[in-house]
Amino acid sequence: MTEHGPDAAVEDELYRIRHSLAHVLAMAVLELRPGAELGFGPPIDDGFYYDFILPEPLSEDDFPEIEKRMRKIIGRREGFEREEMSAADALALLDEMKLPHKREYAEEALIGEQQQDSLSFYRTDGFLDLCRGPHVEHTGKLPADAFRLRSLAGAYWRGDSDNVQMTRIYAWAFKTKKQLNEHVAAFEEALKRDHRKLGRELDIFEIEEETGAGLPLWLPNGTVLRDELEKLAKEFEFRRGYQYVSTPVIAKTDLYRRSGHLPYYAEHMFPFMHLQDADGEGGHGTDYVLRPMNCPHHHLVYATRPRSHRELPLRIAEYGNVYRYEDSGALAGLLRVRGMTMNDAHIYCTEDQIREEFIDVLRLHEELYEVLGIEDYHMRLSTWDPDSPKGKEKYVDDPEAWERTQVILREALEEIGADYDVGKGEAAFYGPKVDMQIRSVTGREETASTNQLDFAQPARFGLTYQGADNQPHRPYVIHRAPLGTHERFVAFLLERYAGAFPTWLAPVQVIVVTVSDRFRDYAARVVETLRNEDGVRAELGPAQEAMGKAIRNAIGRKIPNILVIGEREAENERVTLRRHGSREQQDMSVEELRAHLRRAIATRDKES
């Protein structure tokens, strides 16, 4: 069964191929596991998947047999025949087929929410599936050598962890064998860059059972990356007039009721801590919670004293730790965690200032991405959707404010010539937003950061400023985080550079290895000079280690600058520099090396 996707995608030939192959997969699985219950089976970006409740488990060892059966079905040139029936007849048929989950979906989503009075099925030989279509004419139109089963995964029915867990089979599918092979080769190369693999190999982070799922331990090398990102952001923000604050990671739950977050974020907040007689409040006790976001705290900072229009825009920033109780099935290395540090800031401004401030925020993103070597990204304008089934529950009820602020964000995007698309119904509850969408080297599209325009929370907190007319006015708030969270951005950068960072960002910037231990005194002096006088993260290689092995270890650690010192170097106060990824060697004086490193670090050179 296919989830109902965009109409444009339905007409695409590759969509039809993948959709039809999903049905062929289901037919093959039913041959191998009679009595399996069918779930969803949609096309996806590089293939398709299908969900099953199986009477007996499958493993990847079964993939060759499933593929063999699929190719036999393709060879039979079976047609895909559409059958339309009334909603009542369709539900009765699903009952007869013993497909309770499909019946539930048909009754609730298709008949209940979408108000369909008839439903369509597709028949292929003896196989029948509830499906909108479309499909190829017959299985003979499918490329038998251009698909491959990829992996197994668990998947909750309709994505809800309270529902039954099904077995999902993923597959790649393309029009030609050549396209498939190219995609698989790229995928296998991307696996080598997976941030979880690199994180372990390069001692960046660990997630330990005793600490808890989604709560990473940052190791020394990973902490260097965090510190360098924070330093980068603070330099760029200082030039733009941001002021830094520091606020608690815990607060009374009343704060989040006041902000309006609790109705929307309660399920993603850690359990409340009830403190009996807390703060001497006479026996009733007080509920506290780990903060899931920083903005309510910053609103309190704004409210510490009266504000004048002359102070605006006021830009309050904080590298704030926040905690969100994500579902365990959603956790993924550093990309989705439960404890994170955000490059957060809130800009309090007048309505006339919104456009220019938002443009500056978007340009700040572009500048930071340029430094970090991130090129494959686009922007997404997320708007409200008052006509959605939960529109009135999800969004602040102020249609005029929604329309006005969405126009302002569109103008900002168009002024900078941004490449952007529109996500209708994806806005925050308190205003429209612009997300930065990065496509990683592993092919995923991820939201790297979010920038929101808020017209609701200032009123909830009673925030005002005295205007030029000496009257109180309500400010607007721009929520922005160009580097998102340390966790997610480090994951992007690990995969972008495959762990081989440029000198300015590398956890260890220089390692010195010696031809013989006879030259360790000179090598130690070079390390001391680099560390103490230039602030370079330099280290001396292990004693009594063969030079070849020392160099191989340094390459494995992806240290960008390897210095080799032997008799000639020690006698002439020189070094031989070997860059990571290159076999070329450069002979230079220590002073020349120091000047080279200072320039590479100061300019954050991506190539050095």
Side-chain angles (χ1 to χ4, degrees):
M1 175 180 178
T2 302
E3 293 176 288
H4 290 37
D7 291 339
V10 170
E11 300 305 322
D12 183 75
E13 180 187 1
L14 186 55
Y15 182 97
R16 292 172 181 260
I17 288 172
R18 289 169 172 166
H19 194 175
S20 301
L21 281 168
H23 280 224
V24 173
L25 169 62
M27 295 168 69
V29 169
L30 287 174
E31 288 181 4
L32 198 61
R33 293 289 187 271
E37 184 183 341
L38 303 179
F40 289 132
I44 53 178
D45 284 347
D46 60 358
F48 58 93
Y49 68 77
Y50 214 110
D51 294 340
F52 304 89
I53 298 177
L54 298 168
E56 182 183 343
L58 287 170
S59 74
E60 294 187 12
D61 292 339
D62 296 304
F63 283 2
E65 178 61 26
I66 296 173
E67 290 179 353
K68 178 181 175 182
R69 291 171 184 261
M70 290 177 69
R71 291 188 175 96
K72 282 185 178 180
I73 295 168
I74 289 172
R76 297 202 298 260
R77 299 172 65 85
E78 302 283 358
F80 288 90
E81 300 173 3
R82 184 182 177 94
E83 298 181 10
E84 196 87 15
M85 61 184 68
S86 69
D89 288 345
L91 295 180
L93 177 59
L94 292 171
D95 284 336
E96 181 182 332
M97 295 171 67
K98 298 182 179 179
L99 297 175
H101 290 90
K102 286 208 166 187
R103 189 196 192 285
E104 170 203 305
Y105 178 78
E107 186 173 25
E108 292 183 8
L110 304 183
I111 299 171
E113 293 180 13
Q114 298 185 26
Q115 299 295 303
Q116 296 186 33
D117 55 12
S118 66
L119 300 177
S120 60
F121 290 74
Y122 272 82
R123 184 182 298 277
T124 305
D125 192 17
F127 175 78
L128 187 66
D129 198 8
L130 175 69
C131 179
R132 180 179 78 168
H135 291 282
V136 298
E137 182 183 352
H138 57 76
T139 60
K141 297 279 189 179
L142 299 173
D145 59 355
F147 74 89
R148 184 185 303 180
L149 301 189
R150 187 179 86 191
S151 61
L152 289 169
Y156 294 111
W157 170 246
R158 299 180 72 177
D160 188 337
S161 60
D162 291 332
N163 291 337
V164 65
Q165 188 172 58
M166 310 182 89
T167 298
R168 176 170 294 176
I169 300 178
Y170 282 102
W172 290 299
F174 293 86
K175 292 182 180 179
T176 67
K177 183 178 180 180
K178 181 175 181 290
Q179 291 172 336
L180 172 68
N181 290 340
E182 288 174 350
H183 181 81
V184 172
F187 177 83
E188 290 173 349
E189 177 61 29
L191 286 180
K192 299 175 185 176
R193 294 173 175 254
D194 187 281
H195 78 277
R196 290 164 291 194
K197 175 177 179 289
L198 292 169
R200 289 189 298 271
E201 293 174 351
L202 301 177
D203 290 331
I204 304 296
F205 73 97
E206 288 285 354
I207 297 178
E208 296 289 347
E209 183 177 347
E210 288 181 279
T211 307
L215 299 170
L217 298 173
W218 288 96
L219 305 179
N221 286 346
T223 302
V224 169
L225 297 176
R226 288 168 51 100
D227 290 347
E228 287 294 339
L229 287 176
E230 184 171 347
K231 180 181 176 184
L232 170 68
K234 284 185 173 179
E235 285 182 16
F236 277 64
E237 290 165 351
F238 178 79
R239 294 199 292 266
R240 285 171 158 81
Y242 285 84
Q243 302 177 54
Y244 270 79
V245 299
S246 183
T247 60
V249 300
I250 188 173
K252 295 179 180 180
T253 55
D254 287 346
L255 178 62
Y256 303 104
R257 286 194 181 88
R258 186 179 183 188
S259 70
H261 283 101
L262 263 184
Y264 306 98
Y265 279 89
E267 64 180 303
H268 295 304
M269 296 171 76
F270 273 77
F272 297 173
M273 294 168 274
H274 184 75
L275 304 183
Q276 192 66 29
D277 293 331
D279 307 321
E281 294 181 2
H284 298 294
T286 305
D287 286 337
Y288 284 78
V289 69
L290 291 172
R291 68 178 174 189
M293 66 285 297
N294 300 309
C295 41
H297 297 249
H298 290 186
H299 300 334
L300 296 181
V301 170
Y302 180 96
T304 53
R305 63 176 176 79
R307 303 286 179 177
S308 164
H309 68 95
R310 296 183 181 87
E311 295 180 72
L312 304 185
L314 177 64
R315 308 177 186 97
I316 295 176
E318 177 179 15
Y319 261 82
N321 294 323
V322 299
Y323 299 87
R324 297 176 182 174
Y325 196 79
E326 302 284 358
D327 291 339
S328 58
L331 300 177
L334 295 178
L335 287 172
R336 186 65 66 89
V337 293
R338 288 174 173 167
M340 63 208 81
T341 304
M342 296 184 68
N343 165 224
D344 214 354
H346 296 89
I347 302 170
Y348 299 84
C349 60
T350 68
E351 183 170 342
D352 291 342
Q353 294 168 335
I354 294 172
R355 186 165 169 274
E356 287 306 313
E357 285 300 307
F358 215 91
I359 287 172
D360 189 62
V361 165
L362 297 178
R363 286 182 171 148
L364 173 59
H365 281 74
E366 293 177 330
E367 292 172 22
L368 290 170
Y369 285 13
E370 166 64 23
V371 171
L372 294 167
I374 296 172
E375 300 172 349
D376 192 359
Y377 69 92
H378 69 278
M379 302 182 192
R380 174 177 295 158
L381 172 61
S382 296
T383 63
W384 77 319
D385 180 9
D387 298 324
S388 67
K390 296 184 178 180
K392 292 183 178 180
E393 301 172 20
K394 181 178 179 181
Y395 305 112
V396 171
D397 186 16
D398 190 341
E400 182 183 345
W402 278 105
E403 296 301 332
R404 187 172 68 253
T405 53
Q406 286 174 181
V407 167
I408 294 172
L409 296 199
R410 282 184 185 274
E411 290 175 349
L413 288 163
E414 288 165 8
E415 175 157 333
I416 67 170
D419 172 22
Y420 78 96
D421 56 29
V422 177
K424 187 174 182 180
E426 296 179 9
F429 73 89
Y430 47 69
K433 63 178 181 174
V434 173
D435 293 323
M436 309 298 290
Q437 300 296 120
I438 288 180
R439 183 168 293 279
S440 73
V441 294
T442 56
R444 294 185 311 269
E445 182 177 298
E446 301 277 0
T447 300
S449 62
T450 297
N451 311 283
Q452 301 164 331
L453 178 55
D454 181 355
F455 55 78
Q457 287 196 51
R460 288 178 174 272
F461 281 83
L463 304 183
T464 61
Y465 65 89
Q466 186 180 43
D469 58 1
N470 291 323
Q471 298 300 311
H473 297 270
R474 191 79 68 200
Y476 287 78
V477 180
I478 298 172
H479 306 239
R480 45 107 289 181
L483 296 184
T485 69
H486 279 315
E487 289 69 21
R488 178 164 287 201
F489 234 89
V490 167
F492 290 146
L493 294 176
L494 274 168
E495 295 180 354
R496 158 69 177 82
Y497 288 104
F501 296 109
T503 296
W504 75 270
L505 189 55
V508 178
Q509 296 168 316
V510 174
I511 188 168
V512 183
V513 301
T514 59
V515 174
S516 162
D517 281 356
R518 291 187 295 125
F519 311 115
R520 283 184 68 79
D521 287 347
Y522 172 65
R525 290 200 301 275
V526 171
V527 170
E528 183 179 5
T529 298
L530 293 176
R531 290 182 65 88
N532 295 344
E533 296 187 25
D534 300 311
V536 173
R537 295 185 289 274
E539 68 175 45
L540 181 61
Q544 299 179 336
E545 184 174 58
M547 184 183 71
K549 181 180 179 182
I551 291 175
R552 287 193 298 274
N553 287 341
I555 292 171
R557 294 172 61 192
K558 307 198 177 189
I559 298 173
N561 301 287
I562 304 171
L563 304 184
V564 180
I565 289 178
E567 184 173 4
R568 179 180 58 83
E569 288 85 3
E571 288 180 353
N572 297 287
E573 295 199 353
R574 300 184 73 79
V575 296
T576 296
L577 170 63
R578 176 173 172 172
R579 286 279 302 158
H580 180 84
S582 173
R583 290 186 174 275
E584 294 183 11
Q585 299 188 145
Q586 297 175 263
D587 173 67
M588 60 181 65
S589 70
V590 173
E591 288 307 310
E592 288 172 329
L593 170 71
R594 292 176 64 191
H596 165 74
L597 292 173
R598 285 196 296 266
R599 182 199 61 79
I601 294 168
T603 62
R604 295 188 173 94
D605 189 342
K606 294 189 290 291
E607 307 301 326
S608 297

mmCIF file of all heavy atoms in Angstrom, residues 291-316:
data_model
loop_
_atom_site.group_PDB
_atom_site.id
_atom_site.type_symbol
_atom_site.label_atom_id
_atom_site.label_comp_id
_atom_site.label_asym_id
_atom_site.label_seq_id
_atom_site.Cartn_x
_atom_site.Cartn_y
_atom_site.Cartn_z
ATOM 1 N N ARG A 291 15.116 22.149 30.313
ATOM 2 C CA ARG A 291 14.569 22.990 29.242
ATOM 3 C C ARG A 291 14.745 22.326 27.868
ATOM 4 O O ARG A 291 15.805 21.796 27.548
ATOM 5 C CB ARG A 291 15.228 24.366 29.237
ATOM 6 C CG ARG A 291 16.694 24.382 28.832
ATOM 7 C CD ARG A 291 17.212 25.798 28.815
ATOM 8 N NE ARG A 291 18.648 25.835 28.569
ATOM 9 C CZ ARG A 291 19.391 26.934 28.671
ATOM 10 N NH1 ARG A 291 18.837 28.066 29.040
ATOM 11 N NH2 ARG A 291 20.684 26.893 28.433
ATOM 12 N N PRO A 292 13.694 22.371 27.050
ATOM 13 C CA PRO A 292 13.800 21.846 25.693
ATOM 14 C C PRO A 292 14.199 22.918 24.682
ATOM 15 O O PRO A 292 14.487 22.611 23.529
ATOM 16 C CB PRO A 292 12.376 21.346 25.409
ATOM 17 C CG PRO A 292 11.518 22.260 26.215
ATOM 18 C CD PRO A 292 12.309 22.650 27.439
ATOM 19 N N MET A 293 14.172 24.183 25.104
ATOM 20 C CA MET A 293 14.583 25.282 24.237
ATOM 21 C C MET A 293 14.994 26.464 25.106
ATOM 22 O O MET A 293 14.675 26.521 26.295
ATOM 23 C CB MET A 293 13.478 25.695 23.263
ATOM 24 C CG MET A 293 12.259 26.294 23.888
ATOM 25 S SD MET A 293 11.197 25.086 24.684
ATOM 26 C CE MET A 293 10.717 24.098 23.265
ATOM 27 N N ASN A 294 15.721 27.416 24.509
ATOM 28 C CA ASN A 294 16.275 28.543 25.263
ATOM 29 C C ASN A 294 15.395 29.791 25.243
ATOM 30 O O ASN A 294 15.557 30.674 26.087
ATOM 31 C CB ASN A 294 17.651 28.940 24.679
ATOM 32 C CG ASN A 294 18.647 27.811 24.743
ATOM 33 O OD1 ASN A 294 18.857 27.207 25.786
ATOM 34 N ND2 ASN A 294 19.282 27.505 23.616
ATOM 35 N N CYS A 295 14.479 29.884 24.279
ATOM 36 C CA CYS A 295 13.811 31.168 24.052
ATOM 37 C C CYS A 295 13.070 31.717 25.269
ATOM 38 O O CYS A 295 13.146 32.932 25.538
ATOM 39 C CB CYS A 295 12.911 31.106 22.829
ATOM 40 S SG CYS A 295 11.951 29.616 22.628
ATOM 41 N N PRO A 296 12.321 30.893 26.061
ATOM 42 C CA PRO A 296 11.643 31.504 27.203
ATOM 43 C C PRO A 296 12.611 32.181 28.182
ATOM 44 O O PRO A 296 12.288 33.222 28.770
ATOM 45 C CB PRO A 296 10.925 30.319 27.859
ATOM 46 C CG PRO A 296 10.737 29.333 26.752
ATOM 47 C CD PRO A 296 11.973 29.459 25.929
ATOM 48 N N HIS A 297 13.790 31.593 28.336
ATOM 49 C CA HIS A 297 14.793 32.182 29.226
ATOM 50 C C HIS A 297 15.258 33.537 28.692
ATOM 51 O O HIS A 297 15.478 34.483 29.455
ATOM 52 C CB HIS A 297 15.981 31.233 29.369
ATOM 53 C CG HIS A 297 15.632 29.919 29.996
ATOM 54 N ND1 HIS A 297 16.069 29.552 31.255
ATOM 55 C CD2 HIS A 297 14.884 28.889 29.558
ATOM 56 C CE1 HIS A 297 15.602 28.351 31.545
ATOM 57 N NE2 HIS A 297 14.879 27.925 30.534
ATOM 58 N N HIS A 298 15.432 33.628 27.365
ATOM 59 C CA HIS A 298 15.892 34.886 26.792
ATOM 60 C C HIS A 298 14.812 35.963 26.870
ATOM 61 O O HIS A 298 15.121 37.149 27.015
ATOM 62 C CB HIS A 298 16.327 34.666 25.340
ATOM 63 C CG HIS A 298 17.588 33.860 25.226
ATOM 64 N ND1 HIS A 298 18.234 33.626 24.033
ATOM 65 C CD2 HIS A 298 18.320 33.222 26.171
ATOM 66 C CE1 HIS A 298 19.311 32.890 24.249
ATOM 67 N NE2 HIS A 298 19.379 32.627 25.539
ATOM 68 N N HIS A 299 13.556 35.542 26.799
ATOM 69 C CA HIS A 299 12.478 36.528 26.970
ATOM 70 C C HIS A 299 12.528 37.127 28.381
ATOM 71 O O HIS A 299 12.256 38.322 28.573
ATOM 72 C CB HIS A 299 11.111 35.875 26.739
ATOM 73 C CG HIS A 299 10.948 35.297 25.370
ATOM 74 N ND1 HIS A 299 11.640 35.741 24.263
ATOM 75 C CD2 HIS A 299 10.136 34.278 24.919
ATOM 76 C CE1 HIS A 299 11.280 35.045 23.204
ATOM 77 N NE2 HIS A 299 10.366 34.154 23.569
ATOM 78 N N LEU A 300 12.879 36.301 29.357
ATOM 79 C CA LEU A 300 13.004 36.816 30.723
ATOM 80 C C LEU A 300 14.173 37.790 30.833
ATOM 81 O O LEU A 300 14.108 38.769 31.588
ATOM 82 C CB LEU A 300 13.176 35.661 31.715
ATOM 83 C CG LEU A 300 11.989 34.693 31.841
ATOM 84 C CD1 LEU A 300 12.299 33.611 32.869
ATOM 85 C CD2 LEU A 300 10.712 35.438 32.226
ATOM 86 N N VAL A 301 15.264 37.505 30.080
ATOM 87 C CA VAL A 301 16.394 38.435 30.064
ATOM 88 C C VAL A 301 15.949 39.775 29.492
ATOM 89 O O VAL A 301 16.264 40.846 30.040
ATOM 90 C CB VAL A 301 17.568 37.852 29.237
ATOM 91 C CG1 VAL A 301 18.646 38.919 29.022
ATOM 92 C CG2 VAL A 301 18.167 36.631 29.939
ATOM 93 N N TYR A 302 15.215 39.741 28.392
ATOM 94 C CA TYR A 302 14.710 40.977 27.795
ATOM 95 C C TYR A 302 13.863 41.756 28.796
ATOM 96 O O TYR A 302 13.930 42.996 28.868
ATOM 97 C CB TYR A 302 13.882 40.642 26.548
ATOM 98 C CG TYR A 302 13.305 41.855 25.831
ATOM 99 C CD1 TYR A 302 13.968 42.416 24.749
ATOM 100 C CD2 TYR A 302 12.101 42.435 26.244
ATOM 101 C CE1 TYR A 302 13.448 43.523 24.086
ATOM 102 C CE2 TYR A 302 11.577 43.551 25.594
ATOM 103 C CZ TYR A 302 12.248 44.083 24.516
ATOM 104 O OH TYR A 302 11.734 45.196 23.870
ATOM 105 N N ALA A 303 13.091 41.025 29.577
ATOM 106 C CA ALA A 303 12.126 41.661 30.476
ATOM 107 C C ALA A 303 12.736 42.128 31.795
ATOM 108 O O ALA A 303 12.009 42.624 32.664
ATOM 109 C CB ALA A 303 10.984 40.698 30.770
ATOM 110 N N THR A 304 14.051 41.999 31.975
ATOM 111 C CA THR A 304 14.651 42.399 33.252
ATOM 112 C C THR A 304 14.564 43.901 33.506
ATOM 113 O O THR A 304 14.679 44.349 34.636
ATOM 114 C CB THR A 304 16.133 41.969 33.316
ATOM 115 O OG1 THR A 304 16.823 42.467 32.155
ATOM 116 C CG2 THR A 304 16.249 40.453 33.400
ATOM 117 N N ARG A 305 14.357 44.696 32.454
ATOM 118 C CA ARG A 305 14.206 46.147 32.632
ATOM 119 C C ARG A 305 13.451 46.727 31.447
ATOM 120 O O ARG A 305 13.335 46.091 30.408
ATOM 121 C CB ARG A 305 15.573 46.822 32.776
ATOM 122 C CG ARG A 305 16.471 46.711 31.561
ATOM 123 C CD ARG A 305 17.758 47.488 31.783
ATOM 124 N NE ARG A 305 18.696 47.352 30.688
ATOM 125 C CZ ARG A 305 18.610 48.012 29.543
ATOM 126 N NH1 ARG A 305 17.597 48.858 29.332
ATOM 127 N NH2 ARG A 305 19.531 47.854 28.598
ATOM 128 N N PRO A 306 12.929 47.945 31.584
ATOM 129 C CA PRO A 306 12.236 48.578 30.459
ATOM 130 C C PRO A 306 13.175 48.755 29.268
ATOM 131 O O PRO A 306 14.373 49.003 29.442
ATOM 132 C CB PRO A 306 11.794 49.928 31.017
ATOM 133 C CG PRO A 306 11.766 49.727 32.499
ATOM 134 C CD PRO A 306 12.875 48.772 32.804
ATOM 135 N N ARG A 307 12.621 48.630 28.064
ATOM 136 C CA ARG A 307 13.426 48.763 26.851
ATOM 137 C C ARG A 307 12.915 49.933 26.012
ATOM 138 O O ARG A 307 11.706 50.198 25.949
ATOM 139 C CB ARG A 307 13.353 47.484 26.015
ATOM 140 C CG ARG A 307 13.790 46.236 26.767
ATOM 141 C CD ARG A 307 15.289 46.177 26.956
ATOM 142 N NE ARG A 307 15.683 44.966 27.698
ATOM 143 C CZ ARG A 307 16.948 44.635 27.944
ATOM 144 N NH1 ARG A 307 17.930 45.413 27.524
ATOM 145 N NH2 ARG A 307 17.214 43.537 28.624
ATOM 146 N N SER A 308 13.843 50.587 25.324
ATOM 147 C CA SER A 308 13.507 51.694 24.438
ATOM 148 C C SER A 308 13.692 51.257 22.987
ATOM 149 O O SER A 308 14.469 50.346 22.685
ATOM 150 C CB SER A 308 14.417 52.891 24.728
ATOM 151 O OG SER A 308 14.371 53.834 23.668
ATOM 152 N N HIS A 309 13.001 51.928 22.082
ATOM 153 C CA HIS A 309 13.168 51.636 20.649
ATOM 154 C C HIS A 309 14.602 51.885 20.207
ATOM 155 O O HIS A 309 15.065 51.305 19.211
ATOM 156 C CB HIS A 309 12.188 52.485 19.824
ATOM 157 C CG HIS A 309 12.491 53.958 19.848
ATOM 158 N ND1 HIS A 309 13.240 54.591 18.885
ATOM 159 C CD2 HIS A 309 12.130 54.937 20.744
ATOM 160 C CE1 HIS A 309 13.336 55.880 19.168
ATOM 161 N NE2 HIS A 309 12.673 56.123 20.290
ATOM 162 N N ARG A 310 15.320 52.732 20.970
ATOM 163 C CA ARG A 310 16.722 53.013 20.609
ATOM 164 C C ARG A 310 17.626 51.801 20.817
ATOM 165 O O ARG A 310 18.715 51.730 20.255
ATOM 166 C CB ARG A 310 17.244 54.192 21.433
ATOM 167 C CG ARG A 310 16.528 55.508 21.170
ATOM 168 C CD ARG A 310 17.149 56.642 21.954
ATOM 169 N NE ARG A 310 16.445 57.905 21.728
ATOM 170 C CZ ARG A 310 15.387 58.300 22.416
ATOM 171 N NH1 ARG A 310 14.907 57.524 23.396
ATOM 172 N NH2 ARG A 310 14.799 59.465 22.153
ATOM 173 N N GLU A 311 17.196 50.846 21.656
ATOM 174 C CA GLU A 311 17.990 49.638 21.905
ATOM 175 C C GLU A 311 17.789 48.569 20.837
ATOM 176 O O GLU A 311 18.550 47.598 20.785
ATOM 177 C CB GLU A 311 17.610 49.018 23.257
ATOM 178 C CG GLU A 311 17.925 49.852 24.466
ATOM 179 C CD GLU A 311 17.497 49.139 25.734
ATOM 180 O OE1 GLU A 311 18.162 48.142 26.106
ATOM 181 O OE2 GLU A 311 16.488 49.555 26.325
ATOM 182 N N LEU A 312 16.746 48.736 20.035
ATOM 183 C CA LEU A 312 16.396 47.686 19.081
ATOM 184 C C LEU A 312 17.068 47.933 17.729
ATOM 185 O O LEU A 312 17.217 49.087 17.329
ATOM 186 C CB LEU A 312 14.882 47.613 18.921
ATOM 187 C CG LEU A 312 14.074 47.401 20.213
ATOM 188 C CD1 LEU A 312 12.598 47.218 19.878
ATOM 189 C CD2 LEU A 312 14.600 46.230 21.008
ATOM 190 N N PRO A 313 17.451 46.890 17.037
ATOM 191 C CA PRO A 313 17.305 45.481 17.406
ATOM 192 C C PRO A 313 18.271 45.077 18.525
ATOM 193 O O PRO A 313 19.433 45.475 18.530
ATOM 194 C CB PRO A 313 17.632 44.741 16.114
ATOM 195 C CG PRO A 313 18.547 45.666 15.374
ATOM 196 C CD PRO A 313 18.080 47.051 15.712
ATOM 197 N N LEU A 314 17.761 44.275 19.464
ATOM 198 C CA LEU A 314 18.556 43.718 20.554
ATOM 199 C C LEU A 314 18.795 42.240 20.245
ATOM 200 O O LEU A 314 17.847 41.469 20.102
ATOM 201 C CB LEU A 314 17.816 43.865 21.884
ATOM 202 C CG LEU A 314 18.495 43.270 23.117
ATOM 203 C CD1 LEU A 314 19.812 43.981 23.405
ATOM 204 C CD2 LEU A 314 17.566 43.336 24.321
ATOM 205 N N ARG A 315 20.080 41.862 20.146
ATOM 206 C CA ARG A 315 20.439 40.496 19.743
ATOM 207 C C ARG A 315 21.065 39.773 20.934
ATOM 208 O O ARG A 315 22.190 40.058 21.326
ATOM 209 C CB ARG A 315 21.393 40.533 18.557
ATOM 210 C CG ARG A 315 20.889 41.389 17.393
ATOM 211 C CD ARG A 315 21.883 41.463 16.245
ATOM 212 N NE ARG A 315 21.421 42.396 15.222
ATOM 213 C CZ ARG A 315 21.822 43.677 15.127
ATOM 214 N NH1 ARG A 315 22.703 44.160 16.005
ATOM 215 N NH2 ARG A 315 21.355 44.455 14.178
ATOM 216 N N ILE A 316 20.312 38.834 21.502
ATOM 217 C CA ILE A 316 20.745 38.086 22.687
ATOM 218 C C ILE A 316 21.125 36.665 22.257
ATOM 219 O O ILE A 316 20.313 35.954 21.656
ATOM 220 C CB ILE A 316 19.624 38.032 23.741
ATOM 221 C CG1 ILE A 316 19.330 39.443 24.267
ATOM 222 C CG2 ILE A 316 20.013 37.112 24.892
ATOM 223 C CD1 ILE A 316 18.163 39.493 25.234
#
